[in-house]
Amino acid sequence: MSKVLYVHAKGGPPVGHALARVAARSAVHLLALSELPATVAERATSLCDSVVTHAAPEGRDLVEVITARAREVRAEAVVTFSEYAVVAVAEASRRLGLRGAGPAATLARDKRLMRAAWERRGIPQPRFRAVTTLAELERAASELSFPLLLKAAWSAGSTAHQIIETPGDVRDAWERSRAVMAESALLGFAELHVAGAGEDFIVEEIVSGCAEEWFDGSGWGDYVSVEGVVVGGVFRPVCVSGRMPTVAPFTERAGITPAALGSAAQDRIVELARRAVDALGLEDCGTHTEIKLGADGRMWVIETAARFGGAMTVPQIEQVFGLDLAGMFTDQLLGGSPAWPARVLTPQDAVGAAGSLVVLAVNGDGSPWARRHLWDSATVVRSAPLGAGSTLSVVAESALPDGAPVPVYDPAAGANTMAAVCLLSADRPQTVVSDFAAVVDALPRILPTDVTEEARA
C-alpha cells in the first residue's frame, strides 16, 4: 500500500474530514505541527500508521523536519491542507523528488510576490504597494487613493486587516495590524516556514463591489472564490463558491456552494481565475482564488492560494457535487489520474446546496451584540430558524466548548474571534443565504446570556 505523510497545521478544511479521506487512499503517517482538535486526536490514532506531534523544535528548519520524517516513513507523497504549511511542504516535496506545488508555491502565499506576478501579466487587481515599515506605509498612502486596506502579506482568514480612511489613520493601523499578527502567531495562526513573515504587509486601494448585477437573489456578497486544482501545471476549475457580505472590515461570515451565478457570468469569472493561477506557475496543488465583482461586469483578483479553500469549502463540494477533493488530490500526488471535472461545475450540476457560517458576535447589520452570550451548540441546532427541508449542524472541531463565552468581535483579529462554524444543507443556494440571515438575527436571542460577564460589567 502507498504511504503518505500528512502535515497538519492550523487552518484549511477540518482535519477530521480530510484525514479520513486521505487514509482511505493510502497508509498515512501524521506529522502534527499544531495540536490536533480534541474531537480528532483519538480518531487520528486509529486512522494513521503513526502520529508524531510538535516535531518542529525551535531553531530547526521546518523543511528539514518534514523531509526527514518523509524519509523515515518512506512516504511517496507529502500532503497538507493548511495555508501556513503550504510553502514548507512544497519545498520538502521538491527536495524529495515528489509531486507538489513546486517552487512557485511562495507566489501563492506571499501577497507581495503574488500581486507583482499579476501586475506583470496585466491581470486586473486593486492598486497596491508592498510595505515593511511605517515609513513605507506612509509613502504608499501618499501614492494611492483612500480608503486603503492594510493586510499582512502572509496572513489568512482576514487577520490583521485594517481600513485606512485618512492619512491620520496610518500610524494606528500599522501598529494594530502588527500587534494582531504577533497575537495570531501565539495562537498558531502564522506562517510556519518563513522567519519574520509577520512583518510583511501590503496596502491596497479598496475597489467598489456590486453583487446585485451578478446574482439573481438578494443577500449575496460582492465576491466569489473559484475552487480548483492544478494538474501537472494545468489549471482545472471545479466550481465557484459564493459569499454573504463580509463583516467590517473584510471578515468572511459565510460561504455557499455553489454560487448562484448565470453561466455567462460564471464563465467570465473562471477565465479570470485561470489567468491568475496560470501566472503563478504552480505544478500540482489545490487552488482557491478570490475575485471581487463590480458594476458593469468589472472584476478584480484579490488573491489565490496553492491549496483548497478553508473552513467547510471541501466538505460542501463533496456534499453537493459528490467530489472527494482530499482523496482525489492524494491520488494525484501518488501518480494517479483522478477524474477531475472536464469543465467547471454549475448550480445545475449540484444536488441541493450547502454553506458554512462563521459565528461572530455581530448582528446582520454589522453592529456588535448588545450583550455577552455563552456558546451552546445544542441550542443553536435545536432553535435556529430554518426553511423547510434545511438542516443545520455545528462543526465540532471548529467550535468553542459549550458554556464558553462568545468572544467580542475584534475587526482587526477577524476570524480569530469566532465562536464556531455551522454547516447548513438546503435545496438551493438562495435558501442557504436566507437561512443564514435568519440564523444570524436569531443567535443573540437564542444563546444563553453570560450572566457572569454582565455582573462584572
Side-chain angles (χ1 to χ4, degrees):
M1 190 176 191
S2 56
K3 299 177 182 179
V4 168
L5 180 65
Y6 185 121
V7 180
H8 164 69
K10 295 272 190 178
V15 61
H17 174 95
L19 185 59
R21 282 147 183 80
V22 175
R25 309 296 181 107
S26 171
V28 176
H29 295 271
L30 177 62
L31 176 60
L33 302 178
S34 58
E35 186 176 1
L36 289 166
T39 55
V40 176
E42 183 176 343
R43 188 179 176 207
T45 303
S46 62
L47 286 172
C48 302
D49 283 24
S50 70
V51 178
V52 175
T53 59
H54 306 293
E58 192 169 343
R60 188 179 177 193
D61 179 64
L62 179 57
V63 175
E64 178 189 340
V65 171
I66 296 170
T67 53
R69 184 59 183 156
R71 289 187 177 111
E72 287 174 5
V73 301
R74 299 182 179 179
E76 298 158 71
V78 182
V79 64
T80 189
F81 300 99
S82 167
E83 178 84 348
Y84 305 113
V86 160
V87 175
V89 166
E91 176 58 18
S93 297
R94 188 190 67 79
R95 291 186 189 179
L96 293 162
L98 303 176
R99 290 188 179 187
T106 305
L107 275 67
R109 181 77 180 94
D110 183 342
K111 296 176 178 64
R112 301 167 303 169
L113 299 178
M114 182 190 307
R115 294 296 189 82
W118 290 342
E119 192 171 48
R120 290 191 295 270
R121 295 288 191 93
I123 293 172
Q125 60 179 316
R127 291 180 66 212
F128 75 99
R129 296 288 187 276
V131 296
T132 56
T133 66
L134 175 59
E136 289 179 357
L137 177 57
E138 290 173 335
R139 184 165 57 252
S142 70
E143 298 170 352
L144 300 173
S145 299
F146 290 94
L148 303 173
L149 177 64
L150 178 65
K151 59 173 70 170
W154 299 83
S155 68
S158 304
T159 302
H161 282 23
Q162 288 281 285
I163 293 178
I164 305 174
E165 299 282 359
T166 70
D169 299 329
V170 169
R171 179 178 292 272
D172 287 346
W174 176 251
E175 293 177 352
R176 182 60 181 138
S177 285
R178 293 179 75 245
V180 169
M181 287 305 292
E183 295 164 5
S184 294
L186 295 176
L187 297 171
F189 296 100
E191 172 59 33
L192 295 171
H193 176 50
V194 179
E199 301 293 322
D200 301 329
F201 291 81
I202 67 167
V203 61
E204 64 184 34
E205 294 179 348
I206 297 177
V207 293
S208 297
C210 183
E212 294 78 11
E213 293 187 13
W214 296 82
F215 298 95
D216 292 333
S218 61
W220 291 89
D222 58 9
Y223 72 113
V224 295
S225 60
V226 179
E227 323 302 344
V229 65
V230 178
V231 182
V234 179
F235 175 60
R236 302 285 295 272
V238 172
C239 68
V240 180
S241 298
R243 298 291 189 278
M244 290 180 71
T246 57
V247 178
F250 289 103
T251 302
E252 293 189 0
R253 191 195 286 273
I256 301 97
T257 306
L261 294 162
S263 59
Q266 176 159 304
D267 288 346
R268 290 189 59 231
I269 290 167
V270 170
E271 182 54 33
L272 180 56
R274 184 187 306 279
R275 290 176 58 198
V277 173
D278 287 349
L280 302 183
L282 300 167
E283 295 178 3
D284 287 278
C285 60
T287 62
H288 172 77
T289 307
E290 296 182 356
I291 295 176
K292 183 90 165 180
L293 307 175
D296 302 320
R298 294 194 66 189
M299 297 181 287
W300 303 266
V301 184
I302 303 301
E303 62 186 55
T304 197
R307 44 87 183 163
F308 296 122
M312 296 300 289
T313 303
V314 169
Q316 288 166 207
I317 290 171
E318 182 170 329
Q319 179 176 320
V320 303
F321 291 119
L323 294 177
D324 171 11
L325 296 188
M328 294 169 70
F329 183 59
T330 300
D331 285 344
Q332 179 178 321
L333 291 182
L334 289 169
S337 301
W340 297 109
R343 57 170 177 78
V344 64
L345 301 175
T346 71
Q348 287 68 44
D349 298 308
V351 178
S356 48
L357 176 73
V358 177
V359 177
L360 303 165
V362 180
N363 296 311
D365 62 3
S367 61
W369 289 353
R371 307 170 74 179
R372 296 294 303 277
H373 293 274
L374 302 176
W375 177 248
D376 190 309
S377 297
T379 294
V380 172
V381 172
R382 180 178 62 250
S383 304
L386 303 175
S390 298
T391 59
L392 185 75
S393 61
V394 173
V395 183
E397 66 179 80
S398 301
L400 293 174
D402 286 343
V406 175
V408 173
Y409 175 65
D410 181 348
N416 287 359
T417 52
M418 76 175 185
V421 174
C422 298
L423 179 65
L424 179 78
S425 300
D427 59 345
R428 61 193 185 99
Q430 190 62 48
T431 304
V432 177
V433 174
S434 301
D435 283 348
F436 276 161
V439 171
V440 168
D441 288 342
L443 283 172
R445 297 197 308 268
I446 63 178
L447 285 174
T449 301
D450 186 349
V451 293
T452 303
E453 189 64 31
E454 290 206 340
R456 288 176 184 158

